[in-house]
Amino acid sequence: TIVKVAKEWGHKAIAITDHGNVQGFPPAMLASEKIGMNVIYGMEAYFVNDTNLPIYGDRRDDFNGEFCVFDLETTGLSRISDKITEIGAVIVKKGEIIDRYDTFVNPHMKIPENIVELTHITDDMVKDAETIDKVLPKMIDFIGNSVVVTHNTDFDVSYLKFNYEKYGYKFENTYLDTLRLAKAMFP
């Protein structure tokens, strides 16, 4: 172990720093006790959970500004193998809905029964709808450079980003996750 190597090199002590936890301390303590080394314990601590922020991006508009709230329905949970079946979005300005966008999307795959039960979207409802390659430019125009607001961003924005990239677009909007915001405000 590192404690043994430090002793062999003539050191009287070794310093151990763990990041955000102390998992390395017990093995270091046990090893040092066996060979008579001193251990100096340190820890990089996190006082604020800044790894799970509700907002992503540089813009910090207030809620009187204009933003786009949207939700997706899909054939499943994988942005790679599952497809979008519906997009619903509104533009909000000064607390009022000023524009709406809602469309079904033909996923070119059968919608699993458990998803039909959850979303109430059937194969019949999407069979004549446009495909995502036709719908996406319309959605991009609708969103514009607005701040995007979703509930459970990890899901919705991951599908959006995946499809943007697949069809040669780049998703650069700042976005806010109301799920993470709610968890931060009401832990």
Side-chain angles (χ1 to χ4, degrees), residues 144-166:
N145 69 348
S146 296
V147 172
V148 172
V149 179
T150 64
H151 191 74
N152 192 12
T153 295
D154 291 341
F155 183 80
D156 291 305
V157 170
S158 73
Y159 268 86
L160 210 54
K161 284 182 173 181
F162 177 80
N163 282 285
Y164 267 54
E165 187 175 311
K166 181 176 178 179

mmCIF file with all atom_site columns, all heavy atoms in Angstrom, residues 144-166:
data_model
loop_
_atom_site.group_PDB
_atom_site.id
_atom_site.type_symbol
_atom_site.label_atom_id
_atom_site.label_alt_id
_atom_site.label_comp_id
_atom_site.label_asym_id
_atom_site.label_entity_id
_atom_site.label_seq_id
_atom_site.pdbx_PDB_ins_code
_atom_site.Cartn_x
_atom_site.Cartn_y
_atom_site.Cartn_z
_atom_site.occupancy
_atom_site.B_iso_or_equiv
_atom_site.pdbx_formal_charge
_atom_site.auth_seq_id
_atom_site.auth_comp_id
_atom_site.auth_asym_id
_atom_site.auth_atom_id
_atom_site.pdbx_PDB_model_num
ATOM 1   N N   . GLY A 1 144 ? -37.077 29.138 -30.588 1.00 0.00 ? 144 GLY A N   1
ATOM 2   C CA  . GLY A 1 144 ? -36.178 30.265 -30.815 1.00 0.00 ? 144 GLY A CA  1
ATOM 3   C C   . GLY A 1 144 ? -35.023 30.229 -29.825 1.00 0.00 ? 144 GLY A C   1
ATOM 4   O O   . GLY A 1 144 ? -34.473 29.172 -29.530 1.00 0.00 ? 144 GLY A O   1
ATOM 5   N N   . ASN A 1 145 ? -34.669 31.395 -29.275 1.00 0.00 ? 145 ASN A N   1
ATOM 6   C CA  . ASN A 1 145 ? -33.584 31.431 -28.285 1.00 0.00 ? 145 ASN A CA  1
ATOM 7   C C   . ASN A 1 145 ? -34.134 31.547 -26.866 1.00 0.00 ? 145 ASN A C   1
ATOM 8   O O   . ASN A 1 145 ? -33.424 31.927 -25.946 1.00 0.00 ? 145 ASN A O   1
ATOM 9   C CB  . ASN A 1 145 ? -32.600 32.562 -28.598 1.00 0.00 ? 145 ASN A CB  1
ATOM 10  C CG  . ASN A 1 145 ? -33.215 33.931 -28.382 1.00 0.00 ? 145 ASN A CG  1
ATOM 11  O OD1 . ASN A 1 145 ? -34.429 34.067 -28.211 1.00 0.00 ? 145 ASN A OD1 1
ATOM 12  N ND2 . ASN A 1 145 ? -32.391 34.951 -28.404 1.00 0.00 ? 145 ASN A ND2 1
ATOM 13  N N   . SER A 1 146 ? -35.406 31.191 -26.686 1.00 0.00 ? 146 SER A N   1
ATOM 14  C CA  . SER A 1 146 ? -36.040 31.262 -25.363 1.00 0.00 ? 146 SER A CA  1
ATOM 15  C C   . SER A 1 146 ? -35.332 30.375 -24.348 1.00 0.00 ? 146 SER A C   1
ATOM 16  O O   . SER A 1 146 ? -34.749 29.346 -24.697 1.00 0.00 ? 146 SER A O   1
ATOM 17  C CB  . SER A 1 146 ? -37.496 30.779 -25.440 1.00 0.00 ? 146 SER A CB  1
ATOM 18  O OG  . SER A 1 146 ? -38.270 31.608 -26.239 1.00 0.00 ? 146 SER A OG  1
ATOM 19  N N   . VAL A 1 147 ? -35.455 30.768 -23.089 1.00 0.00 ? 147 VAL A N   1
ATOM 20  C CA  . VAL A 1 147 ? -35.096 29.856 -22.011 1.00 0.00 ? 147 VAL A CA  1
ATOM 21  C C   . VAL A 1 147 ? -36.153 28.758 -22.036 1.00 0.00 ? 147 VAL A C   1
ATOM 22  O O   . VAL A 1 147 ? -37.352 29.035 -22.168 1.00 0.00 ? 147 VAL A O   1
ATOM 23  C CB  . VAL A 1 147 ? -35.080 30.577 -20.649 1.00 0.00 ? 147 VAL A CB  1
ATOM 24  C CG1 . VAL A 1 147 ? -34.908 29.580 -19.512 1.00 0.00 ? 147 VAL A CG1 1
ATOM 25  C CG2 . VAL A 1 147 ? -33.980 31.631 -20.607 1.00 0.00 ? 147 VAL A CG2 1
ATOM 26  N N   . VAL A 1 148 ? -35.726 27.514 -21.946 1.00 0.00 ? 148 VAL A N   1
ATOM 27  C CA  . VAL A 1 148 ? -36.622 26.363 -22.016 1.00 0.00 ? 148 VAL A CA  1
ATOM 28  C C   . VAL A 1 148 ? -36.887 25.855 -20.601 1.00 0.00 ? 148 VAL A C   1
ATOM 29  O O   . VAL A 1 148 ? -35.955 25.716 -19.806 1.00 0.00 ? 148 VAL A O   1
ATOM 30  C CB  . VAL A 1 148 ? -35.989 25.255 -22.888 1.00 0.00 ? 148 VAL A CB  1
ATOM 31  C CG1 . VAL A 1 148 ? -36.789 23.987 -22.839 1.00 0.00 ? 148 VAL A CG1 1
ATOM 32  C CG2 . VAL A 1 148 ? -35.830 25.746 -24.322 1.00 0.00 ? 148 VAL A CG2 1
ATOM 33  N N   . VAL A 1 149 ? -38.149 25.579 -20.307 1.00 0.00 ? 149 VAL A N   1
ATOM 34  C CA  . VAL A 1 149 ? -38.538 25.079 -18.988 1.00 0.00 ? 149 VAL A CA  1
ATOM 35  C C   . VAL A 1 149 ? -39.204 23.722 -19.172 1.00 0.00 ? 149 VAL A C   1
ATOM 36  O O   . VAL A 1 149 ? -40.116 23.582 -19.989 1.00 0.00 ? 149 VAL A O   1
ATOM 37  C CB  . VAL A 1 149 ? -39.519 26.059 -18.289 1.00 0.00 ? 149 VAL A CB  1
ATOM 38  C CG1 . VAL A 1 149 ? -39.934 25.515 -16.930 1.00 0.00 ? 149 VAL A CG1 1
ATOM 39  C CG2 . VAL A 1 149 ? -38.894 27.443 -18.157 1.00 0.00 ? 149 VAL A CG2 1
ATOM 40  N N   . THR A 1 150 ? -38.727 22.729 -18.429 1.00 0.00 ? 150 THR A N   1
ATOM 41  C CA  . THR A 1 150 ? -39.314 21.386 -18.468 1.00 0.00 ? 150 THR A CA  1
ATOM 42  C C   . THR A 1 150 ? -39.385 20.836 -17.055 1.00 0.00 ? 150 THR A C   1
ATOM 43  O O   . THR A 1 150 ? -38.734 21.347 -16.149 1.00 0.00 ? 150 THR A O   1
ATOM 44  C CB  . THR A 1 150 ? -38.481 20.416 -19.325 1.00 0.00 ? 150 THR A CB  1
ATOM 45  O OG1 . THR A 1 150 ? -37.207 20.246 -18.703 1.00 0.00 ? 150 THR A OG1 1
ATOM 46  C CG2 . THR A 1 150 ? -38.311 20.896 -20.741 1.00 0.00 ? 150 THR A CG2 1
ATOM 47  N N   . HIS A 1 151 ? -40.180 19.808 -16.896 1.00 0.00 ? 151 HIS A N   1
ATOM 48  C CA  . HIS A 1 151 ? -40.237 19.085 -15.628 1.00 0.00 ? 151 HIS A CA  1
ATOM 49  C C   . HIS A 1 151 ? -39.542 17.750 -15.864 1.00 0.00 ? 151 HIS A C   1
ATOM 50  O O   . HIS A 1 151 ? -40.007 16.954 -16.680 1.00 0.00 ? 151 HIS A O   1
ATOM 51  C CB  . HIS A 1 151 ? -41.687 18.877 -15.183 1.00 0.00 ? 151 HIS A CB  1
ATOM 52  C CG  . HIS A 1 151 ? -41.801 18.390 -13.781 1.00 0.00 ? 151 HIS A CG  1
ATOM 53  N ND1 . HIS A 1 151 ? -41.568 19.222 -12.697 1.00 0.00 ? 151 HIS A ND1 1
ATOM 54  C CD2 . HIS A 1 151 ? -42.096 17.180 -13.270 1.00 0.00 ? 151 HIS A CD2 1
ATOM 55  C CE1 . HIS A 1 151 ? -41.742 18.543 -11.584 1.00 0.00 ? 151 HIS A CE1 1
ATOM 56  N NE2 . HIS A 1 151 ? -42.051 17.294 -11.897 1.00 0.00 ? 151 HIS A NE2 1
ATOM 57  N N   . ASN A 1 152 ? -38.439 17.528 -15.193 1.00 0.00 ? 152 ASN A N   1
ATOM 58  C CA  . ASN A 1 152 ? -37.561 16.371 -15.401 1.00 0.00 ? 152 ASN A CA  1
ATOM 59  C C   . ASN A 1 152 ? -36.770 16.545 -16.698 1.00 0.00 ? 152 ASN A C   1
ATOM 60  O O   . ASN A 1 152 ? -36.887 15.777 -17.642 1.00 0.00 ? 152 ASN A O   1
ATOM 61  C CB  . ASN A 1 152 ? -38.313 15.045 -15.385 1.00 0.00 ? 152 ASN A CB  1
ATOM 62  C CG  . ASN A 1 152 ? -37.367 13.866 -15.310 1.00 0.00 ? 152 ASN A CG  1
ATOM 63  O OD1 . ASN A 1 152 ? -36.171 14.025 -15.059 1.00 0.00 ? 152 ASN A OD1 1
ATOM 64  N ND2 . ASN A 1 152 ? -37.887 12.678 -15.528 1.00 0.00 ? 152 ASN A ND2 1
ATOM 65  N N   . THR A 1 153 ? -35.961 17.571 -16.701 1.00 0.00 ? 153 THR A N   1
ATOM 66  C CA  . THR A 1 153 ? -35.147 17.952 -17.850 1.00 0.00 ? 153 THR A CA  1
ATOM 67  C C   . THR A 1 153 ? -34.275 16.815 -18.357 1.00 0.00 ? 153 THR A C   1
ATOM 68  O O   . THR A 1 153 ? -34.066 16.695 -19.560 1.00 0.00 ? 153 THR A O   1
ATOM 69  C CB  . THR A 1 153 ? -34.272 19.162 -17.469 1.00 0.00 ? 153 THR A CB  1
ATOM 70  O OG1 . THR A 1 153 ? -35.145 20.252 -17.222 1.00 0.00 ? 153 THR A OG1 1
ATOM 71  C CG2 . THR A 1 153 ? -33.323 19.544 -18.569 1.00 0.00 ? 153 THR A CG2 1
ATOM 72  N N   . ASP A 1 154 ? -33.742 16.002 -17.452 1.00 0.00 ? 154 ASP A N   1
ATOM 73  C CA  . ASP A 1 154 ? -32.861 14.919 -17.883 1.00 0.00 ? 154 ASP A CA  1
ATOM 74  C C   . ASP A 1 154 ? -33.525 14.080 -18.966 1.00 0.00 ? 154 ASP A C   1
ATOM 75  O O   . ASP A 1 154 ? -32.861 13.591 -19.876 1.00 0.00 ? 154 ASP A O   1
ATOM 76  C CB  . ASP A 1 154 ? -32.467 14.026 -16.703 1.00 0.00 ? 154 ASP A CB  1
ATOM 77  C CG  . ASP A 1 154 ? -31.555 14.719 -15.720 1.00 0.00 ? 154 ASP A CG  1
ATOM 78  O OD1 . ASP A 1 154 ? -30.928 15.727 -16.089 1.00 0.00 ? 154 ASP A OD1 1
ATOM 79  O OD2 . ASP A 1 154 ? -31.473 14.263 -14.566 1.00 0.00 ? 154 ASP A OD2 1
ATOM 80  N N   . PHE A 1 155 ? -34.836 13.918 -18.881 1.00 0.00 ? 155 PHE A N   1
ATOM 81  C CA  . PHE A 1 155 ? -35.559 13.130 -19.876 1.00 0.00 ? 155 PHE A CA  1
ATOM 82  C C   . PHE A 1 155 ? -35.839 13.950 -21.137 1.00 0.00 ? 155 PHE A C   1
ATOM 83  O O   . PHE A 1 155 ? -35.364 13.616 -22.220 1.00 0.00 ? 155 PHE A O   1
ATOM 84  C CB  . PHE A 1 155 ? -36.866 12.606 -19.274 1.00 0.00 ? 155 PHE A CB  1
ATOM 85  C CG  . PHE A 1 155 ? -37.640 11.726 -20.209 1.00 0.00 ? 155 PHE A CG  1
ATOM 86  C CD1 . PHE A 1 155 ? -37.291 10.404 -20.377 1.00 0.00 ? 155 PHE A CD1 1
ATOM 87  C CD2 . PHE A 1 155 ? -38.707 12.232 -20.931 1.00 0.00 ? 155 PHE A CD2 1
ATOM 88  C CE1 . PHE A 1 155 ? -37.994 9.584  -21.253 1.00 0.00 ? 155 PHE A CE1 1
ATOM 89  C CE2 . PHE A 1 155 ? -39.417 11.431 -21.806 1.00 0.00 ? 155 PHE A CE2 1
ATOM 90  C CZ  . PHE A 1 155 ? -39.062 10.101 -21.969 1.00 0.00 ? 155 PHE A CZ  1
ATOM 91  N N   . ASP A 1 156 ? -36.608 15.014 -21.007 1.00 0.00 ? 156 ASP A N   1
ATOM 92  C CA  . ASP A 1 156 ? -37.068 15.770 -22.176 1.00 0.00 ? 156 ASP A CA  1
ATOM 93  C C   . ASP A 1 156 ? -35.930 16.392 -22.984 1.00 0.00 ? 156 ASP A C   1
ATOM 94  O O   . ASP A 1 156 ? -35.895 16.277 -24.210 1.00 0.00 ? 156 ASP A O   1
ATOM 95  C CB  . ASP A 1 156 ? -38.056 16.863 -21.751 1.00 0.00 ? 156 ASP A CB  1
ATOM 96  C CG  . ASP A 1 156 ? -39.370 16.291 -21.258 1.00 0.00 ? 156 ASP A CG  1
ATOM 97  O OD1 . ASP A 1 156 ? -39.987 15.514 -21.999 1.00 0.00 ? 156 ASP A OD1 1
ATOM 98  O OD2 . ASP A 1 156 ? -39.771 16.617 -20.127 1.00 0.00 ? 156 ASP A OD2 1
ATOM 99  N N   . VAL A 1 157 ? -35.013 17.055 -22.311 1.00 0.00 ? 157 VAL A N   1
ATOM 100 C CA  . VAL A 1 157 ? -33.934 17.730 -23.040 1.00 0.00 ? 157 VAL A CA  1
ATOM 101 C C   . VAL A 1 157 ? -32.974 16.711 -23.658 1.00 0.00 ? 157 VAL A C   1
ATOM 102 O O   . VAL A 1 157 ? -32.423 16.950 -24.722 1.00 0.00 ? 157 VAL A O   1
ATOM 103 C CB  . VAL A 1 157 ? -33.214 18.767 -22.149 1.00 0.00 ? 157 VAL A CB  1
ATOM 104 C CG1 . VAL A 1 157 ? -31.958 19.294 -22.815 1.00 0.00 ? 157 VAL A CG1 1
ATOM 105 C CG2 . VAL A 1 157 ? -34.156 19.924 -21.839 1.00 0.00 ? 157 VAL A CG2 1
ATOM 106 N N   . SER A 1 158 ? -32.817 15.551 -23.021 1.00 0.00 ? 158 SER A N   1
ATOM 107 C CA  . SER A 1 158 ? -31.939 14.542 -23.629 1.00 0.00 ? 158 SER A CA  1
ATOM 108 C C   . SER A 1 158 ? -32.500 14.072 -24.968 1.00 0.00 ? 158 SER A C   1
ATOM 109 O O   . SER A 1 158 ? -31.754 13.883 -25.927 1.00 0.00 ? 158 SER A O   1
ATOM 110 C CB  . SER A 1 158 ? -31.723 13.361 -22.685 1.00 0.00 ? 158 SER A CB  1
ATOM 111 O OG  . SER A 1 158 ? -32.888 12.554 -22.590 1.00 0.00 ? 158 SER A OG  1
ATOM 112 N N   . TYR A 1 159 ? -33.818 13.901 -25.061 1.00 0.00 ? 159 TYR A N   1
ATOM 113 C CA  . TYR A 1 159 ? -34.440 13.543 -26.345 1.00 0.00 ? 159 TYR A CA  1
ATOM 114 C C   . TYR A 1 159 ? -34.274 14.663 -27.357 1.00 0.00 ? 159 TYR A C   1
ATOM 115 O O   . TYR A 1 159 ? -33.976 14.421 -28.522 1.00 0.00 ? 159 TYR A O   1
ATOM 116 C CB  . TYR A 1 159 ? -35.936 13.257 -26.158 1.00 0.00 ? 159 TYR A CB  1
ATOM 117 C CG  . TYR A 1 159 ? -36.266 11.815 -25.905 1.00 0.00 ? 159 TYR A CG  1
ATOM 118 C CD1 . TYR A 1 159 ? -36.239 11.288 -24.625 1.00 0.00 ? 159 TYR A CD1 1
ATOM 119 C CD2 . TYR A 1 159 ? -36.611 10.973 -26.952 1.00 0.00 ? 159 TYR A CD2 1
ATOM 120 C CE1 . TYR A 1 159 ? -36.554 9.962  -24.385 1.00 0.00 ? 159 TYR A CE1 1
ATOM 121 C CE2 . TYR A 1 159 ? -36.927 9.639  -26.726 1.00 0.00 ? 159 TYR A CE2 1
ATOM 122 C CZ  . TYR A 1 159 ? -36.900 9.141  -25.441 1.00 0.00 ? 159 TYR A CZ  1
ATOM 123 O OH  . TYR A 1 159 ? -37.191 7.824  -25.221 1.00 0.00 ? 159 TYR A OH  1
ATOM 124 N N   . LEU A 1 160 ? -34.481 15.897 -26.896 1.00 0.00 ? 160 LEU A N   1
ATOM 125 C CA  . LEU A 1 160 ? -34.353 17.039 -27.801 1.00 0.00 ? 160 LEU A CA  1
ATOM 126 C C   . LEU A 1 160 ? -32.922 17.160 -28.324 1.00 0.00 ? 160 LEU A C   1
ATOM 127 O O   . LEU A 1 160 ? -32.697 17.269 -29.531 1.00 0.00 ? 160 LEU A O   1
ATOM 128 C CB  . LEU A 1 160 ? -34.768 18.316 -27.064 1.00 0.00 ? 160 LEU A CB  1
ATOM 129 C CG  . LEU A 1 160 ? -35.372 19.429 -27.897 1.00 0.00 ? 160 LEU A CG  1
ATOM 130 C CD1 . LEU A 1 160 ? -36.551 18.952 -28.725 1.00 0.00 ? 160 LEU A CD1 1
ATOM 131 C CD2 . LEU A 1 160 ? -35.790 20.577 -27.010 1.00 0.00 ? 160 LEU A CD2 1
ATOM 132 N N   . LYS A 1 161 ? -31.949 17.097 -27.413 1.00 0.00 ? 161 LYS A N   1
ATOM 133 C CA  . LYS A 1 161 ? -30.543 17.207 -27.824 1.00 0.00 ? 161 LYS A CA  1
ATOM 134 C C   . LYS A 1 161 ? -30.150 16.086 -28.782 1.00 0.00 ? 161 LYS A C   1
ATOM 135 O O   . LYS A 1 161 ? -29.444 16.312 -29.761 1.00 0.00 ? 161 LYS A O   1
ATOM 136 C CB  . LYS A 1 161 ? -29.625 17.176 -26.595 1.00 0.00 ? 161 LYS A CB  1
ATOM 137 C CG  . LYS A 1 161 ? -29.593 18.458 -25.820 1.00 0.00 ? 161 LYS A CG  1
ATOM 138 C CD  . LYS A 1 161 ? -28.623 18.329 -24.651 1.00 0.00 ? 161 LYS A CD  1
ATOM 139 C CE  . LYS A 1 161 ? -28.422 19.632 -23.941 1.00 0.00 ? 161 LYS A CE  1
ATOM 140 N NZ  . LYS A 1 161 ? -27.469 19.512 -22.835 1.00 0.00 ? 161 LYS A NZ  1
ATOM 141 N N   . PHE A 1 162 ? -30.590 14.873 -28.473 1.00 0.00 ? 162 PHE A N   1
ATOM 142 C CA  . PHE A 1 162 ? -30.266 13.736 -29.331 1.00 0.00 ? 162 PHE A CA  1
ATOM 143 C C   . PHE A 1 162 ? -30.777 13.970 -30.747 1.00 0.00 ? 162 PHE A C   1
ATOM 144 O O   . PHE A 1 162 ? -30.062 13.765 -31.730 1.00 0.00 ? 162 PHE A O   1
ATOM 145 C CB  . PHE A 1 162 ? -30.854 12.442 -28.759 1.00 0.00 ? 162 PHE A CB  1
ATOM 146 C CG  . PHE A 1 162 ? -30.618 11.237 -29.617 1.00 0.00 ? 162 PHE A CG  1
ATOM 147 C CD1 . PHE A 1 162 ? -29.402 10.585 -29.591 1.00 0.00 ? 162 PHE A CD1 1
ATOM 148 C CD2 . PHE A 1 162 ? -31.607 10.774 -30.475 1.00 0.00 ? 162 PHE A CD2 1
ATOM 149 C CE1 . PHE A 1 162 ? -29.165 9.471  -30.398 1.00 0.00 ? 162 PHE A CE1 1
ATOM 150 C CE2 . PHE A 1 162 ? -31.387 9.668  -31.292 1.00 0.00 ? 162 PHE A CE2 1
ATOM 151 C CZ  . PHE A 1 162 ? -30.170 9.016  -31.249 1.00 0.00 ? 162 PHE A CZ  1
ATOM 152 N N   . ASN A 1 163 ? -32.018 14.421 -30.874 1.00 0.00 ? 163 ASN A N   1
ATOM 153 C CA  . ASN A 1 163 ? -32.608 14.651 -32.193 1.00 0.00 ? 163 ASN A CA  1
ATOM 154 C C   . ASN A 1 163 ? -32.018 15.882 -32.878 1.00 0.00 ? 163 ASN A C   1
ATOM 155 O O   . ASN A 1 163 ? -31.830 15.882 -34.090 1.00 0.00 ? 163 ASN A O   1
ATOM 156 C CB  . ASN A 1 163 ? -34.130 14.728 -32.098 1.00 0.00 ? 163 ASN A CB  1
ATOM 157 C CG  . ASN A 1 163 ? -34.742 13.348 -31.974 1.00 0.00 ? 163 ASN A CG  1
ATOM 158 O OD1 . ASN A 1 163 ? -34.820 12.611 -32.946 1.00 0.00 ? 163 ASN A OD1 1
ATOM 159 N ND2 . ASN A 1 163 ? -35.120 12.977 -30.759 1.00 0.00 ? 163 ASN A ND2 1
ATOM 160 N N   . TYR A 1 164 ? -31.723 16.923 -32.122 1.00 0.00 ? 164 TYR A N   1
ATOM 161 C CA  . TYR A 1 164 ? -31.044 18.082 -32.710 1.00 0.00 ? 164 TYR A CA  1
ATOM 162 C C   . TYR A 1 164 ? -29.756 17.616 -33.381 1.00 0.00 ? 164 TYR A C   1
ATOM 163 O O   . TYR A 1 164 ? -29.482 17.949 -34.537 1.00 0.00 ? 164 TYR A O   1
ATOM 164 C CB  . TYR A 1 164 ? -30.695 19.098 -31.624 1.00 0.00 ? 164 TYR A CB  1
ATOM 165 C CG  . TYR A 1 164 ? -31.705 20.198 -31.363 1.00 0.00 ? 164 TYR A CG  1
ATOM 166 C CD1 . TYR A 1 164 ? -33.033 19.910 -31.079 1.00 0.00 ? 164 TYR A CD1 1
ATOM 167 C CD2 . TYR A 1 164 ? -31.315 21.520 -31.353 1.00 0.00 ? 164 TYR A CD2 1
ATOM 168 C CE1 . TYR A 1 164 ? -33.945 20.915 -30.807 1.00 0.00 ? 164 TYR A CE1 1
ATOM 169 C CE2 . TYR A 1 164 ? -32.218 22.540 -31.086 1.00 0.00 ? 164 TYR A CE2 1
ATOM 170 C CZ  . TYR A 1 164 ? -33.533 22.226 -30.817 1.00 0.00 ? 164 TYR A CZ  1
ATOM 171 O OH  . TYR A 1 164 ? -34.416 23.233 -30.552 1.00 0.00 ? 164 TYR A OH  1
ATOM 172 N N   . GLU A 1 165 ? -28.941 16.888 -32.632 1.00 0.00 ? 165 GLU A N   1
ATOM 173 C CA  . GLU A 1 165 ? -27.647 16.432 -33.156 1.00 0.00 ? 165 GLU A CA  1
ATOM 174 C C   . GLU A 1 165 ? -27.823 15.499 -34.355 1.00 0.00 ? 165 GLU A C   1
ATOM 175 O O   . GLU A 1 165 ? -27.121 15.616 -35.356 1.00 0.00 ? 165 GLU A O   1
ATOM 176 C CB  . GLU A 1 165 ? -26.861 15.731 -32.048 1.00 0.00 ? 165 GLU A CB  1
ATOM 177 C CG  . GLU A 1 165 ? -25.452 15.378 -32.439 1.00 0.00 ? 165 GLU A CG  1
ATOM 178 C CD  . GLU A 1 165 ? -24.659 14.787 -31.286 1.00 0.00 ? 165 GLU A CD  1
ATOM 179 O OE1 . GLU A 1 165 ? -24.665 15.383 -30.193 1.00 0.00 ? 165 GLU A OE1 1
ATOM 180 O OE2 . GLU A 1 165 ? -24.046 13.729 -31.493 1.00 0.00 ? 165 GLU A OE2 1
ATOM 181 N N   . LYS A 1 166 ? -28.778 14.589 -34.240 1.00 0.00 ? 166 LYS A N   1
ATOM 182 C CA  . LYS A 1 166 ? -29.018 13.610 -35.312 1.00 0.00 ? 166 LYS A CA  1
ATOM 183 C C   . LYS A 1 166 ? -29.342 14.297 -36.638 1.00 0.00 ? 166 LYS A C   1
ATOM 184 O O   . LYS A 1 166 ? -28.946 13.828 -37.702 1.00 0.00 ? 166 LYS A O   1
ATOM 185 C CB  . LYS A 1 166 ? -30.164 12.681 -34.905 1.00 0.00 ? 166 LYS A CB  1
ATOM 186 C CG  . LYS A 1 166 ? -30.493 11.606 -35.906 1.00 0.00 ? 166 LYS A CG  1
ATOM 187 C CD  . LYS A 1 166 ? -31.578 10.688 -35.367 1.00 0.00 ? 166 LYS A CD  1
ATOM 188 C CE  . LYS A 1 166 ? -31.940 9.631  -36.396 1.00 0.00 ? 166 LYS A CE  1
ATOM 189 N NZ  . LYS A 1 166 ? -32.965 8.722  -35.866 1.00 0.00 ? 166 LYS A NZ  1
#
